[in-house]
């Protein structure tokens, strides 16, 4: 299996993103307000906390776009809202010919949006379909939906824009924000959607950034006080995003070190290792024998997290040893028996290799006793 992971920014580039983000904060907020927990409620004239409004201005400025909106329901509801206002119910959109992320499929079903599947890895095919068929918008997931995905999202968006300069393009930027140089709107998309929980922020808060015309409609849709993101939650989004770039860049560097060491034969019993975006950037470890499930059972005893919380959330510190993602399993179900994915989180390669070795050794001892 050949994989084509997204190119991560370096630690130095991540530091520059952090500095830029802090500069954007300082241009909107007086310093004393950052030392508070923000305000609450539907402030007259804004219909939301003043702090939340300011945070949205920071986000729009940072991503160089017209507007931003914090929403409840994390990345899933950010995408759902974007599809609703940028494209609308009972419409038809173009998507990649790959397994659709399950919660995104629910959104498509809820809105009764029909899909035209096209291989995004083949730009010529995309251009042909755009010229031959009629549709109302496009949904692009920046991270990989199947192992052999290799498309360049910016190249894809620019090719579409040359033909349809105004067609709504919504990007699912989950697992990509603060990891790669640009997000969807910076590449030319209409709206970008992501979860701030995946960026060291608070639970359940998502973000939509992009064209003001769509976001103003979404603000009206979120009129109810119960849908507002409160000031303290918005500030938590800022704090998480400040620290996320460097933390994620360190994790990406650790993934590369782990990839190199495992493929150089440091551990017996491992056939190969690959780096992939599935959906977050992980190391896929393939064993020589069908011991993946048994290794996962043992790894938690030696310190690994056995399942995700928010996929790189503020709660996830130790490395995660987990099954291969459902979308990858739809591509080939055999991966379930011989492969696991490892997300370093905040761990170093030494810790991950130690847990792997201890887990493999225990599984082998148990197998030998049975024989």
């Amino acid at each position: 299996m050949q994989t084509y992971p997204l190119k991560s920014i370096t630690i130095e580039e991540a530091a520059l993103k952090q500095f830029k983000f802090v500069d954007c904060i300082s241009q909107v907020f007086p310093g004393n307000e950052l030392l508070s927990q923000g305000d609450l409620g539907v402030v007259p004239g804004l219909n939301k906390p003043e702090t939340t409004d300011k945070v949205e201005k920071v986000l729009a400025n940072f991503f160089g776009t017209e507007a931003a909106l914090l929403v409840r329901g994390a990345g899933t509801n950010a995408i759902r809202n974007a599809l609703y206002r940028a494209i609308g119910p009972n419409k038809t959109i173009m998507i990649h010919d790959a397994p659709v992320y399950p919660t995104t499929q629910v959104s498509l079903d809820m809105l009764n949006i029909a899909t035209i599947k096209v291989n995004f890895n083949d730009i010529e095919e995309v251009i042909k379909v755009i010229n031959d068929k009629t549709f109302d918008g496009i949904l692009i997931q920046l991270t990989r939906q199947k192992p052999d995905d290799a498309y360049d999202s910016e190249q894809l968006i620019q090719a579409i824009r040359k033909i349809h300069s105004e067609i709504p393009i919504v990007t699912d930027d989950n697992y990509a924000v603060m990891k790669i140089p640009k997000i969807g709107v910076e590449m030319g998309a209409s709206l970008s959607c992501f979860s701030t929980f995946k960026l060291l922020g608070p639970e359940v808060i998502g973000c939509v950034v992009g064209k003001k015309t769509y976001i103003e409609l979404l603000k009206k849709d979120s009129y109810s006080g119960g849908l507002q993101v409160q000031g303290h939650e918005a500030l938590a989004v800022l704090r998480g995003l400040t620290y996320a770039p460097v933390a994620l860049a360190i994790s990406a560097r650790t993934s590369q070190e782990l990839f190199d060491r495992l493929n150089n034969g440091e551990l017996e019993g491992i056939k190969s290792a690959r780096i992939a975006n599935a959906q977050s950037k992980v190391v896929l470890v393939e064993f020589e024998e069908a011991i993946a499930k048994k290794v996962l059972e043992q790894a938690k005893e030696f310190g690994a997290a056995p399942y995700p919380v928010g996929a790189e959330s503020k709660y996830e510190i130790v490395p995660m040893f987990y099954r291969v993602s459902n979308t990858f399993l739809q591509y080939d179900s055999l991966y379930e028996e011989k492969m696991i994915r490892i997300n370093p989180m905040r761990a170093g390669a030494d810790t991950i290799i130690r847990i792997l070795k201890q887990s493999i050794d225990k599984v082998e001892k148990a197998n030998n006793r049975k024989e």
Side-chain angles (χ1 to χ4, degrees):
M1 178 181 65
Q2 181 67 42
T3 58
Y4 304 88
L6 301 178
K7 188 177 185 302
S8 296
I9 58 174
T10 65
I11 293 175
E12 291 74 18
E13 290 168 332
L16 292 177
K17 277 194 179 291
Q18 175 183 309
F19 300 154
K20 177 184 174 182
F21 193 69
V22 172
D23 189 58
C24 288
I25 293 172
S26 68
Q27 292 185 49
V28 173
F29 279 91
N32 61 298
E33 289 186 15
L34 292 171
L35 303 178
S36 73
Q37 289 287 18
D39 60 331
L40 304 169
V42 286
V43 175
L46 290 176
N47 205 64
K48 64 173 61 179
E50 291 181 356
T51 304
T52 304
D53 185 63
K54 287 182 177 181
V55 169
E56 290 167 348
K57 285 184 173 66
V58 171
L59 292 168
N61 292 343
F62 178 76
F63 291 114
T65 191
E66 294 174 356
L69 181 69
L70 295 177
V71 300
R72 297 205 167 276
T76 296
N77 207 39
I79 295 168
R80 191 168 296 164
N81 276 277
L83 290 172
Y84 174 62
R85 275 308 178 188
I87 295 162
N90 308 311
K91 298 294 180 64
T92 300
I93 63 171
M94 177 193 287
I95 63 171
H96 181 34
D97 187 9
V100 179
Y101 196 70
T103 54
T104 301
Q105 185 61 57
V106 172
S107 298
L108 296 174
D109 294 342
M110 288 176 67
L111 295 167
N112 195 33
I113 292 177
T115 59
I116 296 172
K117 288 195 171 185
V118 185
N119 181 11
F120 285 174
N121 297 304
D122 186 341
I123 290 288
E124 296 304 317
E125 182 183 347
V126 172
I127 292 172
K128 182 177 185 301
V129 172
I130 289 173
N131 286 319
D132 291 351
K133 294 184 182 291
T134 300
F135 48 90
D136 304 292
I138 301 160
L139 173 64
I140 299 172
Q141 180 176 307
L142 296 193
T143 58
R144 305 312 190 193
Q145 291 167 260
K146 51 192 181 72
D148 61 348
D149 280 343
Y151 59 85
D152 181 315
S153 294
E154 185 166 18
Q155 183 184 41
L156 180 63
I157 291 169
Q158 291 304 312
I160 294 166
R161 284 282 177 242
K162 285 181 181 178
I163 302 168
H164 290 298
S165 60
E166 296 301 323
I167 193 167
I169 300 175
V170 174
T171 55
D172 174 351
D173 303 74
N174 286 299
Y175 309 102
V177 179
M178 295 298 195
K179 293 183 179 182
I180 60 177
K182 298 178 182 179
I183 66 169
V185 291
E186 294 172 300
M187 300 175 188
S190 310
L191 293 174
S192 282
C193 314
F194 56 92
S195 168
T196 68
F197 191 37
K198 294 175 173 60
L199 295 159
L200 307 183
E203 303 89 330
V204 310
I205 305 302
C207 184
V208 184
V209 297
K211 287 189 174 294
K212 189 174 182 178
T213 50
Y214 299 132
I215 288 178
E216 286 301 317
L217 291 172
L218 288 175
K219 286 181 179 179
K220 291 178 181 178
D221 295 337
S222 303
Y223 179 84
S224 165
L227 288 174
Q228 304 312 313
V229 173
Q230 301 300 331
H232 63 93
E233 295 171 310
L235 285 175
V237 168
L238 280 194
R239 293 176 185 125
L241 279 164
T242 300
Y243 293 105
V246 174
L248 294 170
I250 292 171
S251 180
R253 187 179 69 178
T254 301
S255 293
Q256 184 63 50
E257 181 185 346
L258 184 62
F259 168 88
D260 292 338
R261 289 171 65 175
L262 292 179
N263 284 321
N264 285 333
E266 186 162 335
L267 283 185
E268 292 184 3
I270 291 176
K271 182 179 179 180
S272 65
R274 302 170 184 85
I275 297 175
N277 286 88
Q279 283 69 43
S280 54
K281 197 165 196 176
V282 296
V283 178
L284 300 176
V285 178
E286 184 177 1
F287 301 104
E288 292 175 351
E289 305 294 334
I291 60 171
K293 290 182 179 179
K294 292 180 180 179
V295 167
L296 291 179
E297 289 173 6
Q298 299 302 326
K300 64 182 178 182
E301 303 300 324
F302 297 114
Y307 51 80
V309 178
E312 298 166 333
S313 73
K314 60 187 177 182
Y315 301 112
E316 292 164 291
I317 299 170
V318 296
M320 181 186 73
F321 283 47
Y322 197 41
R323 59 170 175 75
V324 179
S325 70
N326 282 327
T327 48
F328 271 43
L329 289 177
Q330 288 179 49
Y331 182 78
D332 190 336
S333 60
L334 294 177
Y335 295 148
E336 186 173 15
E337 302 298 327
K338 297 190 71 174
M339 187 179 291
I340 65 172
R341 57 173 153 164
I342 298 175
N343 189 321
M345 300 301 181
R346 312 298 159 236
D350 287 346
T351 298
I352 296 166
I353 288 174
R354 187 262 301 166
I355 294 172
L356 256 179
K357 185 177 187 309
Q358 289 177 311
S359 300
I360 294 170
D361 288 348
K362 192 166 183 179
V363 170
E364 288 180 346
K365 285 179 183 178
N367 288 342
N368 291 335
R369 283 197 296 270
K370 289 179 181 178
E371 293 174 0

